[in-house]
């Protein structure tokens, strides 16, 4: 089943994000290689694809996991969590309606 992982950043997270980004991306690349990643990306803190020093306000990941517990465990082990980037992470079951698979 698919799960949406929605994370909210702490204030002024940009430097922490940059430091933990390689490890964070490696985990996403592993999900992609397994064919389980639907989409992933950061939410710019301002209305711009490149927010510069404004940084990001959070992230969204939609991926396939065996269970809510598995998705939650995966999210809790994210390098952004241990680096103090995320203030709050919510994991919810997700049913994709569009685009139709």
């Amino acid at each position: 089943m698919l799960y949406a992982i929605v994370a909210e950043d702490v204030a002024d997270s940009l430097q922490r994000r940059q430091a933990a980004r390689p490890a964070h991306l490696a985990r996403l690349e592993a999900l992609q290689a397994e064919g389980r990643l639907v989409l992933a990306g950061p939410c710019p803190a301002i209305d711009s694809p490149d927010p510069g020093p404004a940084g990001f306000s959070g992230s969204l990941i939609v991926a396939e996991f065996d269970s809510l517990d598995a998705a939650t465990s995966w999210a809790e082990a994210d390098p952004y969590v241990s680096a103090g980037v995320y203030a709050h992470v919510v994991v919810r079951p997700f049913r994709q309606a569009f685009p139709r698979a």
Side-chain angles (χ1 to χ4, degrees):
M1 179 164 186
L2 295 178
Y3 294 87
I5 300 169
V6 181
E8 181 181 329
D9 282 23
V10 299
D12 301 316
S13 63
L14 187 57
Q15 287 184 341
R16 292 180 204 173
R17 266 185 173 268
Q18 290 169 335
R21 189 169 189 261
H24 172 77
L25 293 181
R27 295 178 85 236
L28 292 170
E29 289 166 354
L31 281 181
Q32 184 174 5
E34 295 168 4
R36 298 170 42 205
L37 183 64
V38 175
L39 64 88
C43 302
I46 60 173
D47 190 12
S48 172
D50 181 6
F56 299 92
S57 63
S59 299
L60 170 63
I61 299 167
V62 177
E64 183 179 342
F65 293 92
D66 290 334
S67 66
L68 178 58
D69 286 342
T72 301
S73 293
W74 186 91
E76 290 172 349
D78 193 287
Y80 281 176
V81 171
S82 57
V85 173
Y86 292 153
H88 186 70
V89 178
V90 175
V91 181
R92 293 187 178 134
F94 180 80
R95 191 175 84 180
Q96 182 175 346
F98 290 95
R100 296 183 193 258

